[in-house]
Amino acid sequence: MATKTPLHVTVTGAAGQIGYALLFRIASGQLLGEDQPVVLRLLEIEPAMGALEGVVMELDDCAFPLLAGIEATSDLATAFDGTSWALLVGSVPRKAGMERGDLLSVNGGIFKPQGRAVAENAASDVRVLVVGNPCNTNCLIARSNASEVPADRWFAMTRLDENRAKSQLANKAGVQVASVTNLAIWGNHSATQFPDFANARIGGKAAGDVIPDDEWLHGDFLTTVQKRGAAIIEARGASSAASAANAAIDTVVSLRTATAPGDWTSVAVASSGEYGTPEGLQFGFPVVADGAGGWSVAEGVEHDDFAAERIALTTEELVAERKDVGELGLLP
Ligand code: NAX
């Protein structure tokens, strides 16, 4: 029997498709461990409260031994009260005809107050993972409006891209995906991201030595990973949900447990200027976790001209997004 004090976990957009794939796994212990009871704090907008009620009924019907309570609410203060992990999933996806500025503006309206609500209500050890797109800049908005919460507690999700890239490399090499390590996603979770195949390793060897197909690595591999989200929408008629929920779980587990020696994990963090990245951007880096809640950007990763050009492009996009949301008055 679990004897630990329950930790509160907030999920926003809890009645959405990622929420549906995520909540049951959190309640079963896959997020914080099999000896850690959790209280789920579920945020939705008013029109989705009915659907959320149904999800809560299903959670009840699972009789999860670790689920110590459920709070379903449309009130920000209640949703973030005492929370230790806030998974910000709910956002408004880009619709046909929407310009980037519209998207940033609509979502800024969500993430600015949520940032404040985290600062005012969360537990002192709170960590925040933003999944809702555009996740890097949404995270930047929330973090910038919550200066009481240290910058190193804010994360935006690039792990789905890492997992996609590892799977592509493993399939091409004909090996198990677990043998692919050191796969970093640099920059923005968008089509400009750079999945760094040159520093990836397969069974401990450089990926380029195991897959001696430069044309594929520089071409189809990159575009497949960058456009995987669109390919899933095309095939499924709906965007990635189970794989996104899985990546959110992977991100949290990788941040709270020690990274294997020599390896790293992909997550977008507040840049302190590492690798020449402008300070303060929420930027995808290779990250090493110490197992005690701390993390650092992996040092000494080298890039050739091809990689440097790609990283410059994704950096430019994030700088432009920051400028846009600044002009919209979303950054203090
Ligand atoms: P859904 O549209 O199924 O669910 C979103 C839910 O958020 C809805 O139930 C909606 O009512 C709720 N919501 C909207 N505004 C809210 C607010 N202000 N407060 C609380 N809840 C609110 O989308 P879903 O497929 O679950 O995707 C959620 C987000 O994840 C989207 O922004 C999507 O683009 C993003 N993704 C991010 C990924 C990543 O790797 N970072 C990959 C998957 C996904 O595309």
Side-chain angles (χ1 to χ4, degrees), residues 7-39:
L7 291 176
H8 293 223
V9 176
T10 300
V11 178
T12 72
Q17 31 152 25
I18 294 176
Y20 194 70
L22 181 61
L23 299 179
F24 300 85
R25 295 185 61 182
I26 299 174
S28 73
Q30 291 181 46
L31 189 81
L32 297 183
E34 287 176 1
D35 61 347
Q36 178 58 63
V38 293
V39 172

mmCIF file of all heavy atoms in Angstrom, residues 7-39:
data_model
loop_
_atom_site.group_PDB
_atom_site.id
_atom_site.type_symbol
_atom_site.label_atom_id
_atom_site.label_comp_id
_atom_site.label_asym_id
_atom_site.label_seq_id
_atom_site.Cartn_x
_atom_site.Cartn_y
_atom_site.Cartn_z
ATOM 1 N N LEU A 7 0.562 13.733 -4.165
ATOM 2 C CA LEU A 7 0.985 14.935 -4.880
ATOM 3 C C LEU A 7 -0.124 15.341 -5.844
ATOM 4 O O LEU A 7 -0.804 14.480 -6.401
ATOM 5 C CB LEU A 7 2.276 14.671 -5.660
ATOM 6 C CG LEU A 7 3.531 14.451 -4.819
ATOM 7 C CD1 LEU A 7 4.714 14.094 -5.718
ATOM 8 C CD2 LEU A 7 3.856 15.692 -3.986
ATOM 9 N N HIS A 8 -0.277 16.636 -5.997
ATOM 10 C CA HIS A 8 -1.311 17.131 -6.900
ATOM 11 C C HIS A 8 -0.730 17.320 -8.299
ATOM 12 O O HIS A 8 0.348 17.887 -8.454
ATOM 13 C CB HIS A 8 -1.882 18.454 -6.376
ATOM 14 C CG HIS A 8 -2.642 18.283 -5.094
ATOM 15 N ND1 HIS A 8 -3.832 18.902 -4.851
ATOM 16 C CD2 HIS A 8 -2.381 17.537 -3.993
ATOM 17 C CE1 HIS A 8 -4.273 18.545 -3.655
ATOM 18 N NE2 HIS A 8 -3.393 17.725 -3.114
ATOM 19 N N VAL A 9 -1.449 16.829 -9.290
ATOM 20 C CA VAL A 9 -1.047 16.960 -10.694
ATOM 21 C C VAL A 9 -2.183 17.655 -11.435
ATOM 22 O O VAL A 9 -3.322 17.180 -11.404
ATOM 23 C CB VAL A 9 -0.790 15.579 -11.338
ATOM 24 C CG1 VAL A 9 -0.456 15.723 -12.824
ATOM 25 C CG2 VAL A 9 0.316 14.823 -10.606
ATOM 26 N N THR A 10 -1.863 18.772 -12.085
ATOM 27 C CA THR A 10 -2.881 19.499 -12.860
ATOM 28 C C THR A 10 -2.763 19.136 -14.334
ATOM 29 O O THR A 10 -1.657 19.074 -14.868
ATOM 30 C CB THR A 10 -2.671 21.022 -12.711
ATOM 31 O OG1 THR A 10 -2.772 21.361 -11.329
ATOM 32 C CG2 THR A 10 -3.696 21.808 -13.519
ATOM 33 N N VAL A 11 -3.893 18.880 -14.949
ATOM 34 C CA VAL A 11 -3.924 18.694 -16.403
ATOM 35 C C VAL A 11 -4.954 19.666 -16.962
ATOM 36 O O VAL A 11 -6.126 19.630 -16.565
ATOM 37 C CB VAL A 11 -4.302 17.250 -16.799
ATOM 38 C CG1 VAL A 11 -4.359 17.114 -18.327
ATOM 39 C CG2 VAL A 11 -3.301 16.245 -16.217
ATOM 40 N N THR A 12 -4.520 20.530 -17.879
ATOM 41 C CA THR A 12 -5.474 21.444 -18.523
ATOM 42 C C THR A 12 -5.921 20.835 -19.849
ATOM 43 O O THR A 12 -5.206 20.021 -20.438
ATOM 44 C CB THR A 12 -4.855 22.829 -18.776
ATOM 45 O OG1 THR A 12 -3.907 22.721 -19.841
ATOM 46 C CG2 THR A 12 -4.156 23.370 -17.525
ATOM 47 N N GLY A 13 -7.091 21.210 -20.296
ATOM 48 C CA GLY A 13 -7.633 20.592 -21.514
ATOM 49 C C GLY A 13 -7.919 19.126 -21.272
ATOM 50 O O GLY A 13 -7.775 18.278 -22.155
ATOM 51 N N ALA A 14 -8.358 18.825 -20.043
ATOM 52 C CA ALA A 14 -8.441 17.428 -19.587
ATOM 53 C C ALA A 14 -9.492 16.609 -20.320
ATOM 54 O O ALA A 14 -9.417 15.384 -20.334
ATOM 55 C CB ALA A 14 -8.714 17.406 -18.078
ATOM 56 N N ALA A 15 -10.458 17.274 -20.945
ATOM 57 C CA ALA A 15 -11.480 16.522 -21.690
ATOM 58 C C ALA A 15 -11.111 16.345 -23.156
ATOM 59 O O ALA A 15 -11.872 15.769 -23.922
ATOM 60 C CB ALA A 15 -12.836 17.213 -21.584
ATOM 61 N N GLY A 16 -9.936 16.823 -23.541
ATOM 62 C CA GLY A 16 -9.501 16.696 -24.934
ATOM 63 C C GLY A 16 -8.926 15.321 -25.217
ATOM 64 O O GLY A 16 -8.877 14.452 -24.340
ATOM 65 N N GLN A 17 -8.458 15.148 -26.457
ATOM 66 C CA GLN A 17 -7.995 13.805 -26.810
ATOM 67 C C GLN A 17 -6.670 13.426 -26.141
ATOM 68 O O GLN A 17 -6.493 12.284 -25.749
ATOM 69 C CB GLN A 17 -7.956 13.522 -28.293
ATOM 70 C CG GLN A 17 -7.699 14.563 -29.305
ATOM 71 C CD GLN A 17 -7.052 13.932 -30.543
ATOM 72 O OE1 GLN A 17 -7.233 12.753 -30.801
ATOM 73 N NE2 GLN A 17 -6.279 14.722 -31.271
ATOM 74 N N ILE A 18 -5.766 14.362 -25.989
ATOM 75 C CA ILE A 18 -4.531 14.013 -25.270
ATOM 76 C C ILE A 18 -4.869 13.741 -23.804
ATOM 77 O O ILE A 18 -4.382 12.779 -23.203
ATOM 78 C CB ILE A 18 -3.466 15.130 -25.396
ATOM 79 C CG1 ILE A 18 -3.018 15.244 -26.859
ATOM 80 C CG2 ILE A 18 -2.268 14.853 -24.490
ATOM 81 C CD1 ILE A 18 -2.047 16.376 -27.141
ATOM 82 N N GLY A 19 -5.748 14.571 -23.241
ATOM 83 C CA GLY A 19 -6.177 14.352 -21.856
ATOM 84 C C GLY A 19 -6.693 12.934 -21.650
ATOM 85 O O GLY A 19 -6.348 12.259 -20.676
ATOM 86 N N TYR A 20 -7.483 12.477 -22.594
ATOM 87 C CA TYR A 20 -8.088 11.143 -22.460
ATOM 88 C C TYR A 20 -7.032 10.033 -22.484
ATOM 89 O O TYR A 20 -7.206 8.985 -21.871
ATOM 90 C CB TYR A 20 -9.116 10.925 -23.576
ATOM 91 C CG TYR A 20 -10.034 9.747 -23.335
ATOM 92 C CD1 TYR A 20 -10.998 9.793 -22.329
ATOM 93 C CD2 TYR A 20 -9.926 8.589 -24.089
ATOM 94 C CE1 TYR A 20 -11.829 8.716 -22.087
ATOM 95 C CE2 TYR A 20 -10.759 7.503 -23.857
ATOM 96 C CZ TYR A 20 -11.719 7.574 -22.853
ATOM 97 O OH TYR A 20 -12.543 6.506 -22.616
ATOM 98 N N ALA A 21 -5.954 10.299 -23.221
ATOM 99 C CA ALA A 21 -4.882 9.296 -23.293
ATOM 100 C C ALA A 21 -3.888 9.434 -22.134
ATOM 101 O O ALA A 21 -3.046 8.563 -21.929
ATOM 102 C CB ALA A 21 -4.145 9.433 -24.624
ATOM 103 N N LEU A 22 -3.993 10.527 -21.398
ATOM 104 C CA LEU A 22 -2.988 10.849 -20.381
ATOM 105 C C LEU A 22 -3.438 10.548 -18.953
ATOM 106 O O LEU A 22 -2.687 9.996 -18.138
ATOM 107 C CB LEU A 22 -2.664 12.350 -20.523
ATOM 108 C CG LEU A 22 -1.637 13.004 -19.632
ATOM 109 C CD1 LEU A 22 -0.263 12.356 -19.822
ATOM 110 C CD2 LEU A 22 -1.534 14.507 -19.966
ATOM 111 N N LEU A 23 -4.710 10.899 -18.660
ATOM 112 C CA LEU A 23 -5.150 10.878 -17.259
ATOM 113 C C LEU A 23 -5.065 9.485 -16.635
ATOM 114 O O LEU A 23 -4.667 9.336 -15.477
ATOM 115 C CB LEU A 23 -6.594 11.383 -17.163
ATOM 116 C CG LEU A 23 -6.801 12.826 -17.643
ATOM 117 C CD1 LEU A 23 -8.261 13.205 -17.525
ATOM 118 C CD2 LEU A 23 -5.935 13.780 -16.844
ATOM 119 N N PHE A 24 -5.437 8.474 -17.402
ATOM 120 C CA PHE A 24 -5.487 7.125 -16.847
ATOM 121 C C PHE A 24 -4.078 6.615 -16.534
ATOM 122 O O PHE A 24 -3.865 5.871 -15.592
ATOM 123 C CB PHE A 24 -6.240 6.197 -17.822
ATOM 124 C CG PHE A 24 -7.652 6.674 -18.038
ATOM 125 C CD1 PHE A 24 -7.939 7.650 -18.992
ATOM 126 C CD2 PHE A 24 -8.681 6.210 -17.236
ATOM 127 C CE1 PHE A 24 -9.232 8.128 -19.158
ATOM 128 C CE2 PHE A 24 -9.977 6.688 -17.395
ATOM 129 C CZ PHE A 24 -10.255 7.653 -18.362
ATOM 130 N N ARG A 25 -3.139 7.061 -17.339
ATOM 131 C CA ARG A 25 -1.747 6.650 -17.098
ATOM 132 C C ARG A 25 -1.182 7.363 -15.870
ATOM 133 O O ARG A 25 -0.435 6.776 -15.090
ATOM 134 C CB ARG A 25 -0.914 6.914 -18.344
ATOM 135 C CG ARG A 25 -1.385 6.045 -19.509
ATOM 136 C CD ARG A 25 -0.518 6.174 -20.723
ATOM 137 N NE ARG A 25 0.861 5.756 -20.457
ATOM 138 C CZ ARG A 25 1.820 5.815 -21.360
ATOM 139 N NH1 ARG A 25 1.549 6.253 -22.578
ATOM 140 N NH2 ARG A 25 3.037 5.428 -21.049
ATOM 141 N N ILE A 26 -1.545 8.633 -15.692
ATOM 142 C CA ILE A 26 -1.093 9.352 -14.486
ATOM 143 C C ILE A 26 -1.676 8.663 -13.252
ATOM 144 O O ILE A 26 -0.971 8.391 -12.279
ATOM 145 C CB ILE A 26 -1.544 10.826 -14.516
ATOM 146 C CG1 ILE A 26 -0.950 11.548 -15.719
ATOM 147 C CG2 ILE A 26 -1.159 11.534 -13.206
ATOM 148 C CD1 ILE A 26 -1.479 12.984 -15.900
ATOM 149 N N ALA A 27 -2.977 8.360 -13.323
ATOM 150 C CA ALA A 27 -3.672 7.781 -12.163
ATOM 151 C C ALA A 27 -3.163 6.379 -11.847
ATOM 152 O O ALA A 27 -3.276 5.918 -10.706
ATOM 153 C CB ALA A 27 -5.170 7.749 -12.438
ATOM 154 N N SER A 28 -2.594 5.706 -12.835
ATOM 155 C CA SER A 28 -2.094 4.346 -12.588
ATOM 156 C C SER A 28 -0.666 4.345 -12.054
ATOM 157 O O SER A 28 -0.122 3.285 -11.738
ATOM 158 C CB SER A 28 -2.172 3.518 -13.870
ATOM 159 O OG SER A 28 -1.165 3.941 -14.769
ATOM 160 N N GLY A 29 -0.041 5.521 -11.963
ATOM 161 C CA GLY A 29 1.290 5.587 -11.362
ATOM 162 C C GLY A 29 2.418 5.734 -12.364
ATOM 163 O O GLY A 29 3.590 5.745 -11.994
ATOM 164 N N GLN A 30 2.081 5.869 -13.644
ATOM 165 C CA GLN A 30 3.153 5.916 -14.644
ATOM 166 C C GLN A 30 3.877 7.254 -14.709
ATOM 167 O O GLN A 30 4.956 7.348 -15.271
ATOM 168 C CB GLN A 30 2.590 5.572 -16.028
ATOM 169 C CG GLN A 30 2.185 4.120 -16.138
ATOM 170 C CD GLN A 30 1.655 3.783 -17.524
ATOM 171 O OE1 GLN A 30 2.223 4.146 -18.535
ATOM 172 N NE2 GLN A 30 0.542 3.085 -17.555
ATOM 173 N N LEU A 31 3.277 8.296 -14.137
ATOM 174 C CA LEU A 31 3.924 9.618 -14.191
ATOM 175 C C LEU A 31 4.896 9.812 -13.033
ATOM 176 O O LEU A 31 6.051 10.153 -13.227
ATOM 177 C CB LEU A 31 2.870 10.727 -14.160
ATOM 178 C CG LEU A 31 3.412 12.128 -14.435
ATOM 179 C CD1 LEU A 31 3.571 12.371 -15.935
ATOM 180 C CD2 LEU A 31 2.515 13.207 -13.833
ATOM 181 N N LEU A 32 4.405 9.561 -11.815
ATOM 182 C CA LEU A 32 5.208 9.902 -10.625
ATOM 183 C C LEU A 32 5.697 8.684 -9.859
ATOM 184 O O LEU A 32 6.338 8.828 -8.822
ATOM 185 C CB LEU A 32 4.397 10.828 -9.710
ATOM 186 C CG LEU A 32 4.023 12.185 -10.325
ATOM 187 C CD1 LEU A 32 3.283 13.055 -9.322
ATOM 188 C CD2 LEU A 32 5.251 12.932 -10.846
ATOM 189 N N GLY A 33 5.376 7.496 -10.347
ATOM 190 C CA GLY A 33 5.891 6.294 -9.706
ATOM 191 C C GLY A 33 4.810 5.464 -9.034
ATOM 192 O O GLY A 33 3.757 5.984 -8.641
ATOM 193 N N GLU A 34 5.077 4.177 -8.916
ATOM 194 C CA GLU A 34 4.050 3.241 -8.463
ATOM 195 C C GLU A 34 3.816 3.249 -6.954
ATOM 196 O O GLU A 34 2.993 2.497 -6.443
ATOM 197 C CB GLU A 34 4.402 1.831 -8.944
ATOM 198 C CG GLU A 34 4.163 1.722 -10.437
ATOM 199 C CD GLU A 34 4.557 0.396 -11.041
ATOM 200 O OE1 GLU A 34 5.010 -0.485 -10.282
ATOM 201 O OE2 GLU A 34 4.422 0.260 -12.260
ATOM 202 N N ASP A 35 4.576 4.104 -6.241
ATOM 203 C CA ASP A 35 4.328 4.229 -4.801
ATOM 204 C C ASP A 35 3.878 5.653 -4.455
ATOM 205 O O ASP A 35 3.880 6.039 -3.291
ATOM 206 C CB ASP A 35 5.590 3.880 -4.002
ATOM 207 C CG ASP A 35 6.739 4.812 -4.350
ATOM 208 O OD1 ASP A 35 6.634 5.553 -5.359
ATOM 209 O OD2 ASP A 35 7.746 4.792 -3.625
ATOM 210 N N GLN A 36 3.508 6.423 -5.490
ATOM 211 C CA GLN A 36 3.178 7.835 -5.250
ATOM 212 C C GLN A 36 1.709 8.113 -5.550
ATOM 213 O O GLN A 36 1.303 8.207 -6.698
ATOM 214 C CB GLN A 36 4.064 8.732 -6.127
ATOM 215 C CG GLN A 36 3.772 10.215 -5.997
ATOM 216 C CD GLN A 36 3.915 10.722 -4.579
ATOM 217 O OE1 GLN A 36 4.990 10.682 -4.000
ATOM 218 N NE2 GLN A 36 2.820 11.185 -3.984
ATOM 219 N N PRO A 37 0.874 8.259 -4.498
ATOM 220 C CA PRO A 37 -0.525 8.634 -4.745
ATOM 221 C C PRO A 37 -0.619 10.021 -5.380
ATOM 222 O O PRO A 37 0.230 10.880 -5.132
ATOM 223 C CB PRO A 37 -1.148 8.650 -3.341
ATOM 224 C CG PRO A 37 -0.157 8.046 -2.431
ATOM 225 C CD PRO A 37 1.184 8.136 -3.063
ATOM 226 N N VAL A 38 -1.646 10.216 -6.179
ATOM 227 C CA VAL A 38 -1.833 11.508 -6.848
ATOM 228 C C VAL A 38 -3.275 11.998 -6.675
ATOM 229 O O VAL A 38 -4.208 11.207 -6.579
ATOM 230 C CB VAL A 38 -1.534 11.440 -8.370
ATOM 231 C CG1 VAL A 38 -0.062 11.192 -8.634
ATOM 232 C CG2 VAL A 38 -2.383 10.402 -9.079
ATOM 233 N N VAL A 39 -3.395 13.310 -6.629
ATOM 234 C CA VAL A 39 -4.704 13.960 -6.748
ATOM 235 C C VAL A 39 -4.707 14.639 -8.116
ATOM 236 O O VAL A 39 -3.789 15.406 -8.430
ATOM 237 C CB VAL A 39 -4.916 15.007 -5.630
ATOM 238 C CG1 VAL A 39 -6.186 15.815 -5.887
ATOM 239 C CG2 VAL A 39 -4.969 14.334 -4.267
#
